[in-house]
Amino acid sequence: MVVRVKLRIKSKFTNRSIELVVLANGGAESPKPCVVVDVETAEALNLWPSQGELYSIEEASTTTKAYLLPEAVKLELLDEGGNILSDVDADLIIQEGLHEPLITDITIDSLGISFSKGLWKHKEDQPNVIRRSARSR
């Protein structure tokens, strides 16, 4: 089962932020922490139209284009009450036509998330704390 978590994404350039449920995609690889969002989310952060560099992204069954804004955001992992569990500076990737925002393998690790079967824990959680996947829209 997949895991979704709630993040606060803060732009380092515009001082805007948005709370968003994202897919923790352990199969998506990246060399640095990043979050992949759609154009509407980038607009809400006042980061679209993008001044980022255009890249080709290889997915499981296709290749697509996306814009990379290095070190553009701070990601804050939120618990059910909106408290910050951890944070990380990250690249922002804007992908037109994206169906669901996601974080990559190294981002998952950097935020201290351990997950399986739709359940997850933060590395600082007490042993008895088990969190359920956040619900998408």
Side-chain angles (χ1 to χ4, degrees):
M1 181 169 184
V2 301
V3 168
R4 291 175 179 86
V5 296
K6 191 174 217 179
L7 295 180
R8 180 178 298 121
I9 304 172
K10 293 181 163 183
S11 168
K12 293 182 178 181
F13 304 126
T14 66
N15 292 322
R16 289 200 182 175
S17 67
I18 186 170
E19 289 186 10
L20 198 60
V21 172
V22 302
L23 176 66
N25 187 348
E29 300 175 32
S30 65
K32 298 185 337 186
C34 69
V35 60
V36 184
V37 300
D38 58 14
V39 169
E40 292 78 18
T41 301
E43 286 174 338
L45 293 167
N46 204 23
L47 295 172
W48 187 263
S50 172
Q51 302 300 314
E53 211 171 320
L54 185 61
Y55 280 86
S56 289
I57 306 272
E58 290 183 20
E59 297 177 338
S61 61
T62 188
T63 300
T64 187
K65 303 252 186 258
Y67 294 89
L68 170 69
L69 283 77
E71 297 288 321
V73 294
K74 178 180 282 279
L75 305 178
E76 296 176 342
L77 177 63
L78 305 176
D79 69 9
E80 299 79 7
N83 301 303
I84 300 169
L85 295 171
S86 58
D87 62 60
V88 66
D89 292 330
D91 295 345
L92 182 72
I93 297 175
I94 304 165
Q95 186 176 341
E96 295 181 71
L98 184 71
H99 293 289
E100 183 171 17
L102 64 93
I103 54 175
T104 61
D105 56 354
I106 197 165
T107 315
I108 294 164
D109 288 344
S110 297
L111 288 168
I113 299 169
S114 171
F115 68 95
S116 67
K117 298 181 183 176
L119 305 174
W120 65 279
K121 313 178 63 74
H122 185 262
K123 66 182 178 182
E124 300 294 326
D125 283 339
Q126 297 297 316
N128 63 334
V129 174
I130 299 174
R131 301 175 189 279
R132 297 197 177 282
S133 177
R135 293 183 179 224
S136 61
R137 301 178 222 185

